[in-house]
Amino acid sequence: MGVGIKHMVTFSLHAAKDSAEAKVFLKESEAELTAIPGVQQFEVLRQVSAKNDYDYGFSMVFADQAAYDAYNVHPVHQNYVAERWVKEVSRFQEIDFILYSDN
């Protein structure tokens, strides 16, 4: 993957875990976000660890910083955040990784 960026977010929704509303949010989020150019290896994840109290996660990969930056300012992403994310997500944490190299 080289300089690729793995973008991950763990989150909980206002809707109850595994409710019909949560399932719709996850499915529609995947459809919207994967339509944005540059999004690769998108995954919808369900939390199973007792050590973490977030319910779900999204994981995706970007080829480089330019692709990640373009995603963040893309109109579909901006609209998704304003119209879905801020209204339906109760709390979240984002993390971005690149491959570790000690060279």
Side-chain angles (χ1 to χ4, degrees):
M1 189 165 70
V3 297
I5 297 171
K6 181 172 277 198
H7 173 65
M8 302 172 72
V9 58
T10 57
F11 60 94
S12 294
L13 299 170
H14 293 294
K17 187 175 184 178
D18 298 327
S19 66
E21 294 89 348
K23 291 176 184 177
V24 167
F25 176 85
L26 297 171
K27 184 176 183 176
E28 290 179 356
S29 293
E30 180 175 15
E32 286 187 57
L33 298 175
T34 58
I36 300 171
V39 174
Q40 302 172 10
Q41 301 175 33
F42 189 92
E43 297 176 309
V44 177
L45 307 163
R46 185 178 183 279
Q47 178 58 254
V48 295
S49 173
K51 297 177 184 179
N52 186 317
D53 61 355
Y54 290 103
D55 295 328
Y56 303 104
F58 292 152
S59 175
M60 62 194 85
V61 173
F62 297 94
D64 52 30
Q65 188 66 49
Y68 182 48
D69 292 344
Y71 164 83
N72 278 315
V73 299
H74 193 280
V76 171
H77 181 256
Q78 294 287 312
N79 186 64
Y80 170 82
V81 170
E83 298 299 322
R84 298 293 307 260
W85 189 262
V86 297
K87 296 176 182 178
E88 297 184 56
V89 173
S90 61
R91 59 197 191 86
F92 69 96
Q93 181 175 6
E94 286 187 42
I95 190 162
D96 299 307
F97 289 109
I98 60 170
L99 288 176
Y100 175 77
S101 174
D102 60 0
N103 295 338

